[in-house]
Amino acid sequence: MEYGVLVVVDRCIGCRACQVACHVWNGTEAESTEFSPDYTNPPDLTSNVWTVVRFVEMGEGDGLRWYFVKRQCMHCVEPACVAACPTGALHKDKDGIVLWDSKKCIGCRYCVEACPYGVPHFDPLDKTIRKCTFCADRVREGLEPACVAACPTDALIFGSLDEIRARAEEYRAKGHPVYGLEEGGGTSWIYVFPKETAPSDAGLPRLGPETPRERIDKGLLALAMAAVAGLAAWGVSRGKAAPAAQEVKVR
Amino acid sequence: MTESVVVKRRDFLKVLGLSSVPLLLGDSSKLVLAIASPSQEEIRAMEKDLRLTRTVRGVCAYCAVGCGIIFYKVGDSVVYVEGDPDNPINEGKLCPKGKASIQLFGEYNPRRIKTPMIRVNPKPTVDELKAVRNQADLRKIIEKYKPVWKPVTWDEAISFVARKIKEIIDEAGLDPRQEDGFYYNGKQFPVMIEAGAKLTNEEAYLIKKMATMMGSYNIDHDARRCHSTTVAGLAGTVGFGAQTQHFIDTQFPAVYLIFGGNPAENHPVSMRHTLRGREERGLKLVVVDPRYNRTASKSDIFAFFRPGSDLAFLLYILHYAFWERNPPVDQLNTFREFVERFNVDIDEIAEFKEIAKDYTAEEVSKITGIPPDKLRLIAQTYVENSGVTTNFQKFASIQWAMGQTQHHIGTQITRMSALIQLTLGNMGFPGGGLNPYRGHSNVQGTTDLCILSHILPGYIKQPSSTLQIRVYQDWKNQGFPDAWNWEIPEWAGSAFGPNERGKVNSTKILWSWWFHNWRRFELTWGIFVGTDPEDDPQNGTVISDFPFGAGYTENTWWQGALFDDVIKAAIIMAENPAVSNADTLTEYMALASLKLLVVVDLWETETATFADVLLPGAVQYEKYGSITNSSRWIQWQDRVASPPGDAKPDLWIMTRLWEALKAEGAVRLPSQVYGKYRERVLIRNPYREGEFVQLYERKISPFMDYYTGRLPDEDYSEVDPELVYREIDLAVDLYNGMYDWVDRRPLAKRRIAFLRGESDIDGILDRTYLMHKDWGWSWPKNVRILYNLWTLSKTLGRRVTYEFPSGKYAVGPELDGKTVEVTGETGEIRDAVSGEWRPAFIPGHNFVVGKFYKRAWSGVADVFTGAVDPRSLLSGRVVGKFVFFHEDGGYEIKTADELGIVCPLCESFYYDQEVVMAGKANYKKPYFKGTKDLGDGRVVKYVGFYDWRRVRDAFTSELAQLADQMGLKGAIIEMKRRYGEWYAYPSPDNPSEIWAWDMRYPIHYEPAESICKELAVKYPSMAWRRGENFNLISPPKEDFRELADTVNLTPEEMHVPEGAVVVTATTNRLTEHFHTGQLTRNLPLLAELFPEPFVEIPKPLADSLGIKSGDIVEVGNNRNRIFLRAMVTNRVPKMAIGPDGRECYVVNLPWHWGWAGAHSTFAVVNTVSGIYMDTVTTMQETKTFLAYIRKASPADYDYRAEGEPTSWAAPSRRR
Ligand code: SF4
Ligand code: SF4
Ligand code: SF4
């Protein structure tokens, strides 16, 4: 059985219990951050911060909207990072979880380039990449991921991917924009957005239904470009995200 | 202690692997996802961990939602934290603060202080601080006087403090020998005690007990600054100053108006239930706030409003209901029925209707900035989903926190919320009521039990005259009667209620309840209050171990130090007023003026900068004790770990200090000075003039001995919190019932998450509304919805009866042997005669009930039937004597055993239909009464609205005229000089009689500092009614005259530098931080989310000032100037207000930063806020004040991250 999580943005109160819970469970250190102009902090995922809540403010007056979108590894059905990893350190397990084996990781950072969501981050101390593990160590023992377990308003719903996809379809039928059912071949973390918004407002990359493998077939150049576009859109166009984006370009 | 074997966090991973395919391995310092299996050695090591690992349960130490929390421990190390899945409040969930709270423990937090310290260098001086007008000035002084500490032992520290206090008391020359008796004046004590809302119930109760026994009411805590106006406004209107619903119940309103609160940020887990209601039950979330906050992001209707216009907005809801709606709500039968239930004279409502008439949508729009259409939409949505308009099927409910309370008329605002709920039939139902959400984990408990300067634990009056003590002694001699059986002697006059036996009114019932509680304190504290001899109440010598009067509050004590020269020392435990007090610069001067300042805290706080002695305390998780959440649920905290180093729980510190003070001779009770060591408990023979029967004799000796040796912890060996818990149950009627004297268990420890069966007490309600009545215990008598009188009969249409078997229970003839109908929530108590559970309130709960009571043993026995000494009482032993008089004057004395009484310490009160229906809501409540002689032939008379309306316009136009001539500040001083009172004007009928508004109903008052002068004179602030506020514009002491220049009541009075715009400023909190920031800035996991101080600025204003997000801006006024980061956003408004629709900007200042600890700055937001105090409680007006804003240079910004955040994980993967 593959696992999945539904992120119901309408239920999220932007409290960031998920962000803290991820640290507490995984023992990742807090990041030294600076002032953030929109509450999102750190502005992007890092090798220590495996999930970050992005604050999206739109409009003004009666048209003012403010909503909160949790980011983490999407655990893609067909992960671009896995496709790009030359050593097999990154792999997708039978239960749908995309993991890395730090003993095999050589720090080449191909995955960093390949991921359209800007998820894997190179850790300068470990000299490997690090990212959300879907709390494999919890879910395989029948526990919810740490972030899901903490979320006060059940904005995060954990279950089998089939069940999660079915619930996402229900929301879509009710007119909610949904992300992750098809994009890039689908993801295990699927987002339900508030009715009057679009996933791209929250910076999710506009991806077609083709899988990375299919895209790789279309040529590596196209892939690299997609990665850059993805990072710029989903990641953050200011502050700390910039070097990451540049890093991709340099290569 | 609830402990079970679980696993260590790091090895948790490995241990989990034991049960199936191991997947996480590698060396312990790295998280590695591997495929290998563990070796035999590793498995053995894991098994050992498994055996060693245990869980400890408690309550989250941050806000007052009361989330259950579980810590996992291996040996002494705390390794993981999770929400308690069994706890129905949070169902396993936690917000980021709860989740991060593992970093509070010493093993993770290097900033925790670990040893007692005495200062060896000089402190900042008052004169230097007086000159501070900007952040840099302050910084210079604080850095110049950075404390230098000498570590000392506890013995040294405690004896140093005790010696100093003794000296200071001696200098003050306190003596209980007064002209008319033996007692202290509670406001004369030279030591101010401030003890925070993070203390447990047991600690709060003990510190108040200690202060009282030392003769002091100069004791107060943070509740003064947070919900004092809620407590006063609600208690004065419906009986109890508390949340009527509870968090699970917030899913049941049809409309939930969030007005003055921000639960998504400040009570995040509560939103679990509210959003569930929105999704599953169609709850409509209406948010009215100066900010579009995270709660607003989930709203169905949202409106910005100008802070300080709260009353106008609320008045409009009733304007709509009375004047716009067709038919008006007061024409509805349901309304009449409801009004009858709350016993209101219909004339009172007519007067209030007249007030509401003026608050039309158009007028209110000019005051609040909310467009008229939106006002109508909100009022309509609210009113049409209310009890009276839906035949009690749907309810609209109000939530608030500091938004309503922190105003100089906070009491009026919260009271207005109560009036709305009364008028619309939304009070006392699941889904309908009042929801003030409290801030600190135990602030409800510390209020109840009660670190306050004006009441004794459980909302009991402090005596203020010897007459009261005489009447009390006489009441004792009548056999401790309830109000119905009490005959008030003629010589007492009429102030205590009707004299005749059998005749009652609410004054008389309340006095009988206060007296009853005084008696509880006498017996449990080992003190004496009464006359000597006991049988001559009218002429005997008055001796009162309770001091008289009320003390300084957290907001007035600085005047006690600087203006009145009374306060010379302070003990501040678990509080950081140097950041949290309004107009903090005055607080600094007061702190600096002290001869001794003792600070007990987890960290070296901003307040510690001024301290002479700094003592390391413990966090809630390092204690044992009970914690009361915002909705009055009492839960138990077990000790998770010992505090780091030499740090100690506050209970230990305060009892040590008590011993030392006693040894120094600093504790001298009036009874001891008089030489009264025994009390003869005498009951007057009602049939033989002048004859008294002695029931028993008891020893008078102050009691503070809580030794049991039960707990293994060294620092709890001398004081067992469970023993204090028992004492609270006995001493405080409000909390009586929280200890089960039959099964001998604290009900706070009860963890039954199942719902009751239909035939159980309150079973139908419990099942239908998910009350979880077997989880913990709630006051009063485990009632979960206050004033729930009608849910069974009206909302659910159920007919429920209860049979009181004859002769079985300690109830009166009205219930004994009767089958009664139950219409609402009764709560339950252990019956004193049988020891069995029985319903408490018949037919349900109602306003004030709990304070209103009848007593089965009225006139025949002492409270608990009497006690020779407190210690035996706590172990369950009572004297147990009853006296029964015969009409011929004979009598017999029986023991409890002879009468077959099973549990004399269980409740002997009962509440029948007569008691429950005596519970009256105060629709009208004049805060000022009678007359005041001005001494020049004129008299001030406090009048109601009809009279006030006749002079109101003359008053405001004279004020306007003067304000034009001399500015508002001068005009106020002049008006008060002319008429001897504020809000006063000569009567049109008789110029020597000055009419002053008695504040019987809420009307709109502008904030003390108003952005709009026209509004400020049309709806003048009420602040100047209170002397301490008047002191701000007219300081009573020569040395402090220039303080008046720091006040800016209108933009015209402010010194505004070039390039700045004057705005309405408001203050706020953020999800990720807590109050003064010490509990969050010092936690890297939370600091990651909001490291730096900032101000939220409306985009149009920022654009016009050339300010971009991240720029450094100056926020200032006549008080101070501070420098922070700008956050430019549309989430704070630009609005149109006033007669000419002028533009007005609101900026928001989160106030979590100060100069101590991590992520520090001297930009203390409260140095620019004002300290205009509530007319009733002295609450400060921090929700609205004037400030200017302009762009500043980055050089002025002094934020320091101060040291990189350290890793939280004990064996860090980084090391
Ligand atoms: S699933 Fe686990 S690792 Fe991933 S974001 Fe949630 S808590 Fe972090
Ligand atoms: S914990 Fe839940 S509600 Fe809070 S920010 Fe994360 S997803 Fe949103
Ligand atoms: S701070 Fe409040 S809401 Fe958050 S976990 Fe603690 S008690 Fe619950």
Side-chain angles (χ1 to χ4, degrees):
Chain A
M1 186 189 75
E2 292 195 23
Y3 297 112
V5 170
L6 194 67
V7 182
V8 185
V9 176
D10 257 340
R11 288 181 178 177
C12 172
I13 55 172
C15 72
R16 306 195 254 191
C18 47
Q19 196 171 326
V20 173
C22 181
H23 278 303
V24 175
W25 176 259
N26 292 307
T28 50
E29 285 157 273
E31 207 63 75
S32 299
T33 56
E34 288 166 7
F35 171 79
S36 154
D38 65 358
Y39 288 30
T40 311
N41 222 345
D44 194 4
L45 298 170
T46 74
S47 64
N48 287 316
V49 178
W50 297 350
T51 183
V52 71
V53 178
R54 181 178 177 137
F55 289 70
V56 185
E57 181 185 327
M58 286 167 38
E60 56 183 301
D62 279 346
L64 183 61
R65 293 285 173 278
W66 197 27
Y67 60 94
F68 323 106
V69 185
K70 177 188 182 293
R71 294 179 57 193
Q72 70 299 307
C73 173
M74 302 289 268
H75 298 276
C76 302
V77 175
E78 297 261 2
C81 56
V82 172
C85 177
T87 65
L90 266 164
H91 56 279
K92 185 164 174 84
D93 279 354
K94 276 202 293 294
D95 49 13
I97 299 180
V98 178
L99 290 176
W100 83 95
D101 182 338
S102 59
K103 287 187 179 136
K104 284 192 190 161
C105 178
I106 53 170
C108 70
R109 296 177 237 187
Y110 286 179
C111 55
V112 177
E113 291 171 42
C115 173
Y117 304 102
V119 170
H121 276 73
F122 179 72
D123 189 276
L125 277 172
D126 281 6
K127 308 266 192 285
T128 66
I129 62 101
R130 313 204 319 152
K131 69 163 192 71
C132 157
T133 64
F134 210 140
C135 288
D137 43 354
R138 289 176 60 98
V139 301
R140 288 175 184 168
E141 298 306 322
L143 298 170
E144 294 177 320
C147 53
V148 175
C151 176
T153 53
D154 293 344
L156 310 174
I157 303 167
F158 172 69
S160 76
L161 185 58
D162 291 343
E163 188 189 317
I164 293 305
R165 289 180 65 94
R167 288 183 81 158
E169 295 282 11
E170 279 168 35
Y171 273 106
R172 180 143 77 179
K174 285 190 220 145
H176 286 270
V178 168
Y179 190 97
L181 281 174
E182 289 93 19
E183 284 79 0
T187 55
S188 306
W189 284 62
I190 300 176
Y191 288 73
V192 176
F193 280 87
K195 278 185 181 152
E196 66 280 19
T197 67
S200 57
D201 298 338
L204 278 168
R206 292 178 215 269
L207 295 181
E210 73 273 27
T211 64
R213 186 61 63 193
E214 288 160 0
R215 279 181 289 149
I216 285 175
D217 293 344
K218 286 181 200 161
L220 276 169
L221 181 68
L223 170 68
M225 289 186 55
V228 172
L231 271 179
W234 168 240
V236 188
S237 48
R238 33 143 233 288
K240 295 206 153 172
Q246 277 157 17
E247 227 172 72
V248 177
K249 266 189 215 152
V250 170
R251 294 214 184 109
Chain B
M1 200 191 296
T2 334
E3 288 168 8
S4 59
V5 175
V6 195
V7 279
K8 179 170 174 178
R9 189 199 58 79
R10 180 167 44 83
D11 297 313
F12 203 71
L13 313 177
K14 297 194 276 182
V15 173
L16 283 173
L18 281 177
S19 61
S20 62
V21 188
L23 53 111
L24 289 158
L25 280 175
D27 67 81
S28 62
S29 68
K30 267 189 184 170
L31 174 73
V32 180
L33 298 166
I35 312 105
S37 307
S39 68
Q40 282 308 305
E41 272 152 56
E42 279 171 323
I43 289 179
R44 266 195 299 279
M46 288 172 209
E47 279 169 350
K48 190 163 152 266
D49 281 349
L50 199 65
R51 276 196 306 276
L52 286 173
T53 309
R54 58 201 181 96
T55 60
V56 187
R57 281 160 213 267
V59 186
C60 172
Y62 287 92
C63 88
V65 170
C67 295
I69 196 163
I70 307 179
F71 289 95
Y72 295 80
K73 288 187 71 180
V74 175
D76 286 338
S77 179
V78 185
V79 294
Y80 190 60
V81 56
E82 217 162 43
D84 180 349
D86 296 334
N87 191 315
I89 300 172
N90 61 318
E91 299 173 306
K93 304 301 186 173
L94 290 175
C95 82
K97 292 191 287 277
K99 194 75 200 182
S101 59
I102 191 168
Q103 291 191 322
L104 289 169
F105 291 106
E107 63 178 303
Y108 300 114
N109 205 304
R111 289 179 192 275
R112 287 283 302 272
I113 52 171
K114 298 181 186 67
T115 169
M117 291 176 272
I118 295 179
R119 189 191 195 109
V120 294
N121 66 329
K123 304 193 285 183
T125 66
V126 177
D127 284 335
E128 279 168 293
L129 287 162
K130 215 187 272 176
V132 171
R133 286 293 174 274
N134 70 49
Q135 179 176 325
D137 298 344
L138 179 64
R139 179 182 186 162
K140 233 175 281 160
I141 298 171
I142 301 295
E143 283 178 350
K144 176 171 165 196
Y145 294 102
K146 191 173 163 34
V148 179
W149 301 109
K150 181 179 85 173
V152 293
T153 64
W154 275 102
D155 283 345
E156 284 168 318
I158 296 275
S159 64
F160 176 82
V161 172
R163 230 177 17 250
K164 277 277 206 184
I165 289 183
K166 173 70 164 79
E167 266 169 45
I168 290 167
I169 295 177
D170 285 349
E171 269 170 48
L174 295 187
D175 193 333
R177 279 170 287 221
Q178 314 280 352
E179 264 173 26
D180 55 353
F182 284 68
Y183 59 89
Y184 287 106
N185 175 339
K187 204 176 183 174
Q188 291 308 318
F189 198 73
V191 185
M192 182 77 201
I193 297 177
E194 302 190 1
K198 285 277 178 268
L199 300 193
T200 63
N201 286 332
E202 293 70 28
E203 291 166 341
Y205 168 84
L206 269 203
I207 192 90
K208 174 73 178 181
K209 176 178 174 179
M210 280 168 48
T212 309
M213 296 210 292
M214 290 189 75
S216 173
Y217 289 145
N218 289 332
I219 171 168
D220 213 30
H221 82 302
D222 347 41
R224 184 68 57 189
R225 282 189 291 262
C226 74
H227 270 295
S228 63
T229 46
T230 293
V231 175
L234 301 193
T237 309
V238 285
F240 293 101
Q243 203 183 337
T244 68
Q245 297 169 245
H246 55 91
F247 292 106
I248 300 168
D249 199 63
T250 65
Q251 63 190 292
F252 294 113
V255 171
Y256 204 22
L257 171 64
I258 310 295
F259 181 65
N262 179 7
E265 301 200 38
N266 298 325
H267 306 87
V269 177
S270 76
M271 286 298 275
R272 174 172 187 76
H273 305 288
T274 305
L275 290 185
R276 187 177 278 167
R278 186 164 171 259
E279 215 172 277
E280 292 173 11
R281 300 172 195 275
L283 176 152
K284 274 205 165 54
L285 195 64
V286 181
V287 177
V288 179
D289 203 275
R291 290 165 72 208
Y292 190 92
N293 52 37
R294 281 176 251 192
T295 312
S297 79
K298 295 286 153 289
S299 62
D300 297 290
I301 304 176
F302 172 78
F304 281 121
F305 86 110
R306 179 176 63 107
S309 65
D310 311 59
L311 276 169
F313 167 73
L314 293 173
L315 277 156
Y316 174 69
I317 294 182
L318 287 189
H319 175 89
Y320 173 87
F322 284 138
W323 299 99
E324 282 190 36
R325 186 181 194 274
N326 191 13
V329 291
D330 50 328
Q331 312 267 305
L332 301 172
N333 286 336
T334 44
F335 174 84
R336 289 170 192 278
E337 228 182 332
F338 198 66
V339 165
E340 205 167 292
R341 178 193 144 183
F342 58 82
N343 286 335
V344 175
D345 189 343
I346 210 85
D347 293 346
E348 293 186 6
I349 294 174
E351 186 179 8
F352 186 51
K353 260 186 85 168
E354 281 303 304
I355 292 176
K357 191 174 181 179
D358 294 342
Y359 293 89
T360 61
E362 286 64 31
E363 180 65 11
V364 169
S365 174
K366 285 179 192 144
I367 303 171
T368 58
I370 307 174
D373 288 350
K374 191 161 257 180
L375 279 169
R376 286 208 173 86
L377 173 69
I378 293 170
Q380 190 185 24
T381 307
Y382 197 86
V383 172
E384 301 313 326
N385 285 287
S386 289
V388 294
T389 57
T390 63
N391 201 16
F392 304 109
Q393 295 306 304
K394 291 183 181 180
F395 303 97
S397 190
I398 307 185
Q399 187 276 349
W400 73 86
M402 308 299 87
Q404 287 194 24
T405 62
Q406 292 181 336
H407 298 274
H408 81 277
I409 30 80
T411 300
Q412 301 297 310
I413 301 176
T414 61
R415 180 169 139 70
M416 184 65 214
S417 294
L419 290 183
I420 289 178
Q421 296 304 68
L422 286 174
T423 308
L424 299 178
N426 287 328
M427 183 82 88
F429 295 92
L434 300 165
N435 287 288
Y437 288 6
R438 309 210 57 168
H440 282 284
S441 54
N442 195 35
V443 65
Q444 186 63 50
T446 50
T447 303
D448 296 336
L449 287 178
C450 76
I451 315 174
L452 292 168
S453 62
H454 66 293
I455 41 174
L456 293 166
Y459 306 99
I460 303 306
K461 191 179 171 61
Q462 293 172 171
S464 55
S465 74
T466 49
L467 176 67
Q468 290 166 1
I469 307 295
R470 294 186 186 285
V471 176
Y472 171 62
Q473 179 66 56
D474 187 80
W475 173 86
K476 292 202 249 183
N477 296 344
Q478 291 184 42
F480 314 88
D482 60 30
W484 279 264
N485 289 296
W486 178 25
E487 186 180 335
I488 301 172
E490 285 307 321
W491 50 262
S494 59
F496 299 85
N499 298 69
E500 300 86 333
R501 192 191 174 101
K503 261 196 156 179
V504 300
N505 65 4
S506 50
T507 309
K508 185 167 178 178
I509 310 178
L510 279 179
W511 272 108
S512 78
W513 187 63
W514 292 329
F515 283 175
H516 186 92
N517 272 273
W518 285 5
R519 186 60 180 166
R520 287 170 174 252
F521 292 129
E522 273 195 274
L523 298 186
T524 52
W525 293 8
I527 59 171
F528 181 72
V529 179
T531 62
D532 189 68
E534 293 85 350
D535 52 9
D536 191 3
Q538 202 180 349
N539 306 304
T541 306
V542 165
I543 303 161
S544 174
D545 287 338
F546 294 141
F548 281 17
Y552 288 103
T553 72
E554 293 238 336
N555 279 338
T556 63
W557 84 272
W558 65 273
Q559 298 197 0
L562 299 178
F563 295 167
D564 308 342
D565 280 331
V566 171
I567 304 294
K568 303 285 181 205
I571 300 173
I572 300 184
M573 311 183 94
E575 261 198 42
N576 191 10
V579 177
S580 58
N581 222 65
D583 194 1
T584 337
L585 292 174
T586 54
E587 178 86 6
Y588 301 157
M589 285 187 259
L591 291 171
S593 77
L594 299 173
K595 290 185 187 155
L596 173 72
L597 173 61
V598 183
V599 170
V600 186
D601 215 306
L602 309 179
W603 340 85
E604 186 173 343
T605 61
E606 287 80 359
T607 304
T609 304
F610 302 90
D612 300 280
V613 180
L614 180 57
L615 304 175
V619 77
Q620 185 177 304
Y621 307 133
E622 293 160 348
K623 298 175 177 182
Y624 297 96
S626 67
I627 309 288
T628 307
N629 85 347
S630 180
S631 54
R632 319 173 316 281
W633 292 27
I634 303 169
Q635 308 182 90
W636 190 260
Q637 173 71 53
D638 263 331
R639 169 174 262 188
V640 180
S642 293
D646 228 359
K648 299 287 179 204
D650 301 73
L651 203 59
W652 184 93
I653 299 172
M654 57 182 77
T655 44
R656 273 297 178 95
L657 191 57
W658 172 258
E659 289 306 323
L661 287 166
K662 246 176 46 184
E664 284 287 340
V667 183
R668 286 166 70 235
L669 272 80
S671 57
Q672 294 172 330
V673 174
Y674 177 88
K676 177 100 184 145
Y677 298 109
R678 303 195 78 77
E679 179 187 22
R680 293 177 301 143
V681 181
L682 304 174
I683 311 282
R684 191 183 294 130
N685 187 332
Y687 305 104
R688 278 195 199 146
E689 183 75 30
E691 185 184 302
F692 288 80
V693 174
Q694 178 166 329
L695 266 191
Y696 72 103
E697 221 180 53
R698 74 177 178 100
K699 213 167 68 201
I700 300 165
S701 167
F703 175 77
M704 199 66 84
D705 170 16
Y706 301 102
Y707 174 80
T708 61
R710 188 182 59 96
L711 292 165
D713 317 65
E714 186 251 321
D715 50 357
Y716 276 113
S717 64
E718 279 150 46
V719 208
D720 186 337
E722 196 171 311
L723 214 54
V724 185
Y725 180 100
R726 278 190 221 173
E727 181 175 313
I728 297 171
D729 176 272
L730 295 176
V732 183
D733 178 46
L734 193 73
Y735 274 55
N736 180 271
M738 71 166 180
Y739 188 77
D740 178 349
W741 288 95
V742 175
D743 287 346
R744 299 256 163 177
R745 54 175 182 158
L747 294 180
K749 290 186 179 176
R750 188 161 56 168
R751 298 173 44 84
I752 301 170
F754 296 113
L755 298 171
R756 289 185 179 180
E758 286 224 341
S759 55
D760 295 335
I761 296 174
D762 292 330
I764 297 174
L765 292 170
D766 193 66
R767 294 198 80 73
T768 314
Y769 297 105
L770 315 175
M771 289 176 170
H772 292 90
K773 291 188 63 135
D774 289 316
W775 186 273
W777 185 87
S778 61
W779 67 256
K781 316 297 178 217
N782 207 23
V783 159
R784 301 280 151 131
I785 304 283
L786 287 179
Y787 325 129
N788 184 351
L789 186 62
W790 275 3
T791 301
L792 286 173
S793 57
K794 290 240 187 293
T795 308
L796 299 178
R798 301 279 298 253
R799 201 185 132 71
V800 181
T801 56
Y802 182 85
E803 188 194 336
F804 282 89
S806 125
K808 191 170 178 192
Y809 294 144
V811 293
E814 308 86 342
L815 296 179
D816 198 33
K818 307 264 161 50
T819 297
V820 294
E821 184 173 358
V822 171
T823 59
E825 192 176 355
T826 61
E828 72 259 352
I829 44 187
R830 283 277 194 195
D831 181 75
V833 168
S834 67
E836 289 175 11
W837 291 109
R838 66 165 164 91
F841 309 117
I842 302 293
H845 189 241
N846 201 2
F847 309 121
V848 210
V849 174
K851 295 184 180 177
F852 289 8
Y853 72 97
K854 283 185 183 172
R855 184 170 184 234
W857 303 336
S858 189
V860 299
D862 199 347
V863 175
F864 331 112
T865 78
V868 264
D869 68 82
R871 181 82 204 186
S872 62
L873 202 55
L874 288 186
S875 49
R877 282 189 298 278
V878 292
V879 174
K881 295 239 187 69
F882 293 72
V883 57
F884 299 99
F885 293 101
H886 305 308
E887 273 181 34
D888 62 2
Y891 61 87
E892 52 191 323
I893 291 183
K894 289 216 155 110
T895 63
D897 280 350
E898 284 166 342
L899 292 167
I901 286 166
V902 172
C903 182
L905 292 172
C906 296
E907 186 59 277
S908 66
F909 283 1
Y910 67 98
Y911 310 83
D912 60 16
Q913 180 87 17
E914 193 175 16
V915 173
V916 168
M917 295 320 288
K920 178 178 173 358
N922 286 319
Y923 205 77
K924 175 177 87 182
K925 182 167 175 64
Y927 281 86
F928 293 83
K929 284 189 201 157
T931 57
K932 185 169 93 174
D933 198 337
L934 292 181
D936 57 2
R938 295 182 306 164
V939 158
V940 172
K941 184 179 166 203
Y942 295 98
V943 298
F945 182 69
Y946 295 125
D947 284 340
W948 175 245
R949 187 165 56 179
R950 292 176 60 202
V951 296
R952 180 184 58 190
D953 293 348
F955 165 70
T956 54
S957 64
E958 190 166 316
L959 179 70
Q961 219 175 19
L962 288 171
D964 280 344
Q965 290 162 23
M966 51 179 83
L968 188 56
K969 208 188 304 176
I972 290 161
I973 296 172
E974 177 58 20
M975 289 292 276
K976 197 152 177 184
R977 194 194 59 79
R978 283 185 189 171
Y979 305 120
E981 179 55 295
W982 177 243
Y983 256 79
Y985 205 77
S987 146
D989 310 331
N990 169 9
S992 70
E993 187 173 278
I994 291 165
W995 284 356
W997 167 228
D998 69 4
M999 299 181 73
R1000 62 177 58 188
Y1001 286 110
I1003 59 174
H1004 175 60
Y1005 306 94
E1006 274 292 293
E1009 297 189 355
S1010 170
I1011 191 85
C1012 176
K1013 196 168 159 194
E1014 289 82 354
L1015 290 174
V1017 293
K1018 183 168 183 192
Y1019 299 100
S1021 160
M1022 188 37 105
W1024 322 111
R1025 186 57 78 76
R1026 202 172 169 108
E1028 291 94 338
N1029 289 332
F1030 197 70
N1031 285 348
L1032 297 170
I1033 50 174
S1034 178
K1037 216 173 164 193
E1038 193 56 49
D1039 319 353
F1040 291 95
R1041 289 275 189 261
E1042 68 256 46
L1043 270 187
D1045 304 332
T1046 66
V1047 171
N1048 32 233
L1049 300 183
T1050 60
E1052 293 78 10
E1053 290 178 13
M1054 194 189 295
H1055 312 298
V1056 185
E1058 218 173 297
V1061 169
V1062 180
V1063 296
T1064 298
T1066 190
T1067 59
N1068 256 300
R1069 296 188 291 141
L1070 304 160
T1071 312
E1072 299 81 353
H1073 279 298
F1074 199 73
H1075 296 85
T1076 72
Q1078 291 292 331
L1079 290 168
T1080 51
R1081 278 189 280 127
N1082 287 327
L1083 271 48
L1085 286 177
L1086 293 170
E1088 169 187 291
L1089 305 170
F1090 271 123
E1092 298 188 44
F1094 63 94
V1095 48
E1096 289 176 319
I1097 309 171
K1099 187 153 189 315
L1101 175 64
D1103 288 349
S1104 74
L1105 291 172
I1107 295 169
K1108 293 186 303 303
S1109 276
D1111 284 352
I1112 304 305
V1113 292
E1114 173 181 345
V1115 177
N1117 53 26
N1118 292 5
R1119 287 178 284 273
N1120 196 24
R1121 298 158 54 197
I1122 56 172
F1123 300 86
L1124 334 101
R1125 291 241 187 243
M1127 185 180 290
V1128 177
T1129 171
N1130 284 316
R1131 292 179 288 97
V1132 282
K1134 166 188 173 174
M1135 46 186 27
I1137 57 146
D1140 50 359
R1142 90 178 51 159
E1143 66 189 23
C1144 150
Y1145 297 101
V1146 178
V1147 305
N1148 177 52
L1149 293 150
W1151 59 277
H1152 303 294
W1153 283 267
W1155 64 81
H1159 306 279
S1160 62
T1161 170
F1162 287 85
V1164 175
V1165 161
N1166 275 317
T1167 56
V1168 291
S1169 70
I1171 190 158
Y1172 309 101
M1173 297 171 231
D1174 181 74
T1175 41
V1176 179
T1177 74
T1178 78
M1179 168 71 76
Q1180 77 291 347
E1181 189 158 76
T1182 28
K1183 274 298 173 254
T1184 174
F1185 54 91
L1186 292 182
Y1188 66 75
I1189 186 159
R1190 64 168 174 170
K1191 195 165 170 166
S1193 143
D1196 291 320
Y1197 188 59
D1198 66 13
Y1199 162 80
R1200 277 180 311 185
E1202 194 158 334
E1204 293 304 293
T1206 44
S1207 167
W1208 79 271
S1212 166
R1213 66 175 201 95
R1214 296 287 177 189
R1215 282 184 220 128

